[in-house]
Amino acid sequence: MPIVTVQVTREGTTPERHAVTAEEKAEIIRGVSQVLLDVLNKPLESTYVVIEEVDLDNWGWGGLPTAQYRAQLAAKAKA
């Protein structure tokens, strides 16, 4: 029985949204489950997918909080 945890930032796909929608979560669950069926032959009914939404302030990469890193990338793209 596979258990897959997917972590996403708690932000929407457009500037005015601040969360992942129920429809988007359903698609993530459907897609991840399908990959496990296709690759490992794990039945859909035995695959559990857990989605964890993490506040943007609790993510970081490149040695910076996510918002700062994205700002840095945007500034480089403009240069």
Side-chain angles (χ1 to χ4, degrees), residues 5-73:
T5 302
V6 178
Q7 293 182 320
V8 296
T9 54
R10 186 175 285 134
E11 59 183 320
T13 53
T14 59
E16 68 277 1
R17 288 190 24 218
H18 300 288
V20 179
T21 67
E23 293 80 14
E24 290 167 333
K25 290 177 186 178
E27 187 61 31
I28 291 168
I29 292 167
R30 196 171 15 262
V32 169
S33 298
Q34 189 64 48
V35 165
L36 288 173
L37 174 64
D38 295 345
V39 175
L40 299 177
N41 200 31
K42 298 294 182 180
L44 296 176
E45 60 275 2
S46 71
T47 298
Y48 290 84
V49 179
V50 178
I51 298 172
E52 295 178 355
E53 288 186 272
V54 180
D55 288 329
L56 188 62
D57 292 342
N58 295 330
W59 283 77
W61 80 90
L64 297 169
T66 298
Q68 289 180 15
Y69 187 79
R70 288 178 180 173
Q72 188 179 73
L73 288 178

